[in-house]
Amino acid sequence: MSEAFRGQDSAIAVVGVSCRLPRAAGPAGFWALLRDGLDGISSTPADRWGVAAVDSGSPALGAGYGGYLSGVDQFDAGFFGISPREAAAVDPQQRLTLELGWEALEDAGVVPERVRGNRVGVFIGANKDDYATVARRRGVEGITEHSTTGLQRGMIANRVSYVFGLTGPSITVDTAQSSSLVAVHLACESLRRGECSSAIVGGVVLNLSAEAAVELSRFGALSPDGRCFTFDARANGFVRGEGGAVVVLKPLGQALADGDHVYCVIRGSAVNHDGVSEGLTVPSASAQEEVIRFAHERAGVQAADIQYVELHGTGTKVGDPIEAAALGAAVGRPRRAHGPLRVGSVKTNIGHLEGAAGIAGLLKVVLAIYHRQIPASLNFRQASPWVRLEEQNLQVQTQTAGWPEPGRPLVAGVSSFGMGGANCHVVVSEVTDPEVAEGVRLGGPVGSAPWALPLSARSARALGEQAMRLRAFVTEQLELSVPDVAWTLATARSVFAHRAVVVTADVDGLLAGLQDLAGLQDPAGLQDLAGLRDVDASSVVRGVAAGAAG
């Protein structure tokens, strides 16, 4: 492994994550779905299209499967300072991206209000605007003063920058299915050039119109079985998915200096185009091979360093063999001495998110590195005779397991290819220096209990709901320490008008206090802070801890 790989000058840290994906309301739920080998595919909700099926013979509507989110029409407009009238005209993709951006900043330990006016970039991949189709069904009577800003796809990133008050680059990227991974590439380059100090990066797609489903059906892209059979002999198209994911990126050196929690590191990336191929939508194996090699060069890695690649992996008869040949030439065959290269596709779990597919694949790899396990790629029984896995030295990961060579740095690739020929590949790794990695994983204060854990919300009901969500999270993460939770709540969360604090010495007490708060009761361990509008919550934590110690 080259010295370039070990340097921090060009490495970009992933310091925060968020997602809303089929059967996965957040990163913890997404990891559970992946780890347990489940999928989020279901029947299409009866009311999803909002119109009668316009083509009863279409496999897209006849099969009736997809990866769907629930409650896509729900949005707390007041939380983001948007009027109900304007919110009704705003594409739910804009609304979902606002929510994901807020959650990702919080996961990064960043209070959104504190970055207002800062040079933070926003890069969002999106290639669909179904809500515009739905809105225009109402004719000119449905057009309002908010339609222009509500329906333009370019406003997805701009809306985040405006609401959060961010002054860095603000770009909605559309390179078809590779949009969100190209957004990651552009964000990393912007960070390296110093155009922004950190970046909110992701992708979003919501499947809201019957017309879009019919388009894909008539194009011949959809599987009549409603599943993605990546690299399998049954491969016959993909099933559609929807949702979004966002990561917060920062130069590694700055992240370490700031004491940030680092999930993993983006070492390098590359983009290119197929040029002339056998058709506008026919991939080029040579171009895919080239973009992978160029990404390796930028990252300072060799084929032997790569232990896993998250495929574009749509499960199509044309695309799968071409991708396998390109990956075999660039990585699989050159690393034969280290055993077969493990590969998989998140599309088998959640469907093809098109413009948001790349960020979903990246998030899968981020979590796989963080948890030091590679999840199974589903729906694989027998390789397609055209994929030739053994010849290419590739092996589909069919069970969740540890990394093949856990004693070596965990390094993976992520591929995303647009149907028009725009290709992107990203190289991701763990933080390699043992001391740095240990320092990153440790965090927050240490000391004696009891600790004060403050919560706040814009309403009493929201305060109770937040307590329920936190309780569910703590229940699944019982290894968390109370001081760490207290420190995060006190220093990395916004402060709103409705407030409460749970004072406890241990996890059991925290769970009990959150249960009481969820029921809006008034137990002895719960103190109302609603009147302390200007209080610094971190000083409350330090004060309680000091009192306990004294």
Side-chain angles (χ1 to χ4, degrees), residues 104-465:
L105 286 175
E106 284 196 332
D107 188 66
V110 176
V111 177
E113 292 91 341
R114 294 180 190 167
V115 294
R116 185 171 295 275
N118 289 6
R119 204 170 64 249
V120 178
V122 180
F123 300 80
I124 303 296
N127 74 320
K128 296 289 185 181
D129 50 8
D130 283 20
Y131 195 63
T133 299
V134 173
R136 288 166 183 152
R137 290 179 190 150
R138 298 195 296 269
V140 295
E141 293 78 11
I143 299 174
T144 73
E145 67 272 29
H146 302 298
S147 295
T148 296
T149 54
L151 299 179
Q152 286 192 24
R153 194 158 65 243
M155 295 297 293
I156 297 174
N158 294 167
R159 178 88 61 176
V160 174
S161 298
Y162 172 76
V163 170
F164 294 172
L166 311 177
T167 63
S170 185
I171 303 172
T172 301
V173 179
D174 183 358
T175 57
Q177 290 74 13
S178 58
S179 299
S180 57
L181 204 63
V182 172
V184 171
H185 168 79
L186 295 176
C188 291
E189 293 301 297
S190 182
L191 287 163
R192 292 183 180 111
R193 289 193 300 267
E195 290 178 341
C196 52
S197 56
S198 60
I200 297 169
V201 191
V204 64
V205 64
L206 291 174
N207 299 323
L208 305 176
S209 76
E211 292 88 336
V214 172
E215 285 177 7
L216 284 172
S217 173
R218 292 182 176 175
F219 179 67
L222 299 182
S223 166
D225 299 307
R227 292 294 187 276
C228 290
F229 298 105
T230 302
F231 280 14
D232 191 85
R234 295 168 293 167
N236 57 2
F238 62 80
V239 62
R240 303 178 80 202
E242 69 177 8
V246 164
V247 296
V248 177
L249 304 181
K250 201 172 187 179
L252 177 60
Q254 189 61 54
L256 296 176
D258 292 343
D260 292 331
H261 174 275
V262 178
Y263 284 92
C264 64
V265 175
I266 296 174
R267 296 289 175 185
S269 58
V271 296
N272 73 356
H273 189 270
D274 288 345
V276 177
S277 65
E278 294 183 13
L280 175 62
T281 62
V282 178
S284 164
S286 61
Q288 291 182 10
E289 178 185 348
E290 181 182 351
V291 80
I292 295 170
R293 292 187 187 277
F294 191 23
H296 288 183
E297 180 182 330
R298 297 288 304 277
V301 301
Q302 300 175 352
D305 299 323
I306 309 298
Q307 297 196 43
Y308 174 78
V309 168
E310 176 65 18
L311 303 164
H312 181 62
T314 54
T316 60
K317 292 183 181 297
V318 173
D320 280 8
I322 291 174
E323 182 171 10
L327 188 59
V331 188
R333 298 201 302 271
R335 73 177 309 280
R336 193 173 292 278
H338 293 267
L341 173 69
R342 307 299 175 90
V343 299
S345 173
V346 74
K347 294 175 180 64
T348 63
N349 300 94
I350 59 175
H352 191 351
L353 271 65
E354 300 188 64
I359 194 68
L362 176 65
L363 182 56
K364 173 184 171 181
V365 170
V366 169
L367 296 175
I369 289 174
Y370 182 70
H371 291 284
R372 303 188 72 82
Q373 287 185 303
I374 301 177
S377 190
L378 308 183
N379 307 326
F380 183 82
R381 294 179 185 170
Q382 181 177 354
S384 163
W386 308 110
V387 169
R388 299 172 181 170
L389 292 179
E390 185 174 350
E391 177 183 326
Q392 305 297 348
N393 195 38
L394 307 177
Q395 179 179 323
V396 176
Q397 184 80 16
T398 57
Q399 294 184 341
T400 298
W403 287 66
E405 298 178 274
R408 303 180 69 209
L410 306 187
V411 187
V414 184
S415 290
S416 193
F417 308 132
M419 67 182 296
N423 307 311
C424 184
H425 190 80
V426 174
V427 177
V428 187
S429 84
E430 65 178 330
V431 182
T432 56
D433 187 299
E435 294 182 1
V436 171
E438 183 67 16
V440 167
R441 291 194 172 93
L442 296 176
V446 293
S448 302
W451 292 89
L453 295 96
L455 293 91
S456 71
R458 293 191 186 275
S459 68
R461 178 179 177 180
L463 188 64
E465 291 174 348

Side-chain angles (χ1 to χ4, degrees), residues 46-106:
D47 60 350
R48 171 52 69 107
W49 303 133
V51 296
V54 295
D55 183 358
S56 60
S58 165
L61 300 178
Y65 296 106
Y68 296 100
L69 303 187
S70 60
V72 294
D73 58 332
Q74 299 174 12
F75 178 62
D76 189 349
F79 183 88
F80 293 102
I82 301 173
S83 71
R85 177 177 171 82
E86 181 176 7
V90 171
D91 188 336
Q93 293 181 137
Q94 291 188 33
R95 299 176 343 204
L96 177 57
T97 305
L98 282 173
E99 295 170 345
L100 292 173
W102 184 282
E103 293 167 5
L105 286 175
E106 284 196 332

Side-chain angles (χ1 to χ4, degrees), residues 33-57:
L33 185 83
L34 296 171
R35 178 199 62 207
D36 297 341
L38 304 175
D39 71 45
I41 308 303
S42 64
S43 299
T44 301
D47 60 350
R48 171 52 69 107
W49 303 133
V51 296
V54 295
D55 183 358
S56 60

